Amino acid sequence: MPSQDEILKAKILVVDDSPDNVDLMLEILRDAGYSNVTATLRPAQVCPLHREHCYDLILLDLQMPELNGFQVMKGLKEIEQGGYLPVLALTAQPSFKIAALEAGARDFISKPFDLMEVHKRIHNMLEVRLLYKELAHYSKQQQELALHDPLTGLPNRRLLEDRIEHTLQHSARVRGKSAILYLDLDGFKTINDSYGHAYGDEILKLVAARLVNASRKEDTVARIGGDEFVIVLGNLAGKGDAHEPAAKLIEVISEPYFINDLTLRLSTSIGISIYPDDATTVDALLSAADTALYEAKRSGKNRYCCAPHDMAATLVSKHGVTSIA
């Protein structure tokens, strides 16, 4: 639940075409301890102001020239789509009360004001609004956790597959190519077994940071479990465009890692598959890249291997190119 201090610091906007009514409401709010209160006499300003400041409460007079309160609420609904409309309607017309609630207002205050009623309705509505925001933030955090690796913060397999799908759709529209780079760390198990999982976790976080720094902003870098990572490259002119990034990744991963008083080293093997040359679906591309990764491991590690074409594959290491059956 929001604290009393959080409630008193909530952002409040008072909207009324009468300066006297605005002054009265501002005095009521400030006397009650609310410290973040602003006002406008122009209803046309409400939506732009709310877009900019995202108010926790809008005290809205329903009878105003230019735009009435019902028209203002219609505009606010477009901003708060699927959300909580933080409007407390102010009206002297009893017939407007139900209409205001039907239009989206969460509650209403009758004119002339009853001071106790004003305090209670404002406090209750702010409590609900702030609780709603807390729950929305928590829900967003949970969604992020469901889509990201908790150790490295990188996208997990679930989000990765969605990113690959979007990349393939874009490549299909522009008749371009995309690449999947499937990475596995050489020597990681030895580090884990020799120095413990705490050092292994630090290595994984450092590797993740290096992969992100060595990739383009538009590329996706994901961890899909253990010491396996996948990088999605889009907007490629030809299949050869994936070779240079792969070689760069091998180089940056091979740089030493300094953890506490230790200097640790490892390398990476990479399997590459190309859309649409090797496959046209997410699962098939990942499978082709995984097969190429196996070939890179089998052929000596610390190198990248392209998925086979017509029963042949091209194996590339730092020392040259070799064709394998």
Side-chain angles (χ1 to χ4, degrees), residues 12-286:
I12 302 174
L13 176 66
V14 178
V15 187
D16 201 307
D17 63 307
S18 167
D20 290 340
N21 288 343
V22 168
D23 290 342
L24 175 59
M25 185 56 71
L26 290 177
E27 183 179 354
I28 290 172
L29 290 166
R30 287 165 182 163
D31 285 348
Y34 294 101
S35 59
N36 196 357
V37 183
T38 55
T40 179
L41 299 170
R42 297 178 56 193
Q45 291 183 336
V46 175
C47 287
L49 285 170
H50 186 53
R51 282 194 186 92
E52 181 179 355
H53 300 287
C54 191
Y55 293 105
D56 299 307
L57 177 63
I58 300 174
L59 293 161
L60 178 65
D61 185 31
L62 294 180
Q63 293 178 285
M64 296 179 291
E66 297 181 44
L67 294 173
N68 61 43
F70 297 100
Q71 292 169 311
V72 172
M73 281 191 281
K74 184 178 180 181
L76 289 171
K77 279 184 177 180
E78 296 177 2
I79 300 172
E80 294 277 348
Q81 289 181 1
Y84 182 95
L85 197 65
V87 172
L88 186 54
L90 309 176
T91 180
Q93 299 293 329
S95 61
F96 282 3
K97 294 177 182 178
I98 300 301
L101 296 176
E102 291 175 343
R106 293 293 166 176
D107 204 349
F108 57 83
I109 296 175
S110 301
K111 294 181 180 181
F113 299 139
D114 177 284
L115 196 57
M116 186 174 295
E117 178 191 14
V118 170
H119 285 314
K120 194 63 178 175
R121 291 187 185 273
I122 288 174
H123 181 278
N124 288 350
M125 188 165 164
L126 281 172
E127 191 173 60
V128 173
R129 168 66 169 179
L130 294 178
L131 180 59
Y132 179 89
K133 288 174 70 174
E134 283 182 10
L135 292 173
H137 179 67
Y138 176 77
S139 177
K140 185 176 180 181
Q141 285 183 317
Q142 292 302 107
Q143 290 175 8
E144 287 294 309
L145 287 173
L147 296 174
H148 290 81
D149 170 51
L151 178 65
T152 63
L154 296 178
N156 61 18
R157 190 180 188 101
R158 181 180 170 189
L159 180 55
L160 168 68
E161 291 177 352
D162 183 69
R163 296 276 182 86
I164 295 174
E165 186 63 47
H166 280 84
T167 300
L168 300 189
Q169 290 173 0
H170 176 74
S171 295
R173 285 196 300 270
V174 301
R175 296 184 179 180
K177 296 183 185 295
S178 305
I180 305 296
L181 276 57
Y182 203 131
L183 290 75
D184 182 271
L185 302 180
D186 308 323
F188 178 74
K189 186 177 185 303
T190 300
I191 291 175
N192 239 3
D193 293 343
S194 301
Y195 303 105
H197 289 284
Y199 279 84
D201 286 349
E202 286 303 311
I203 285 283
L204 291 172
K205 288 189 282 188
L206 291 171
V207 166
R210 291 187 185 186
L211 293 177
V212 171
N213 289 335
S215 302
R216 302 173 302 178
K217 289 184 179 180
E218 63 267 30
D219 298 335
T220 294
V221 181
R223 180 188 177 211
I224 59 173
D227 59 340
E228 294 184 339
F229 297 82
V230 169
I231 299 177
V232 185
L233 308 178
N235 300 316
L236 303 183
K239 59 185 179 181
D241 289 352
H243 295 179
E244 184 177 342
K248 180 180 179 182
L249 293 172
I250 289 172
E251 184 177 343
V252 300
I253 295 302
S254 67
E255 293 294 323
Y257 297 84
F258 304 101
I259 303 176
N260 296 331
D261 56 341
L262 293 177
T263 301
L264 303 174
R265 291 183 179 273
L266 74 165
S267 61
T268 186
S269 299
I270 304 175
I272 303 173
S273 63
I274 303 293
Y275 169 89
D277 303 58
D278 301 319
T280 57
T281 67
V282 174
D283 287 343
L285 282 164
L286 286 170

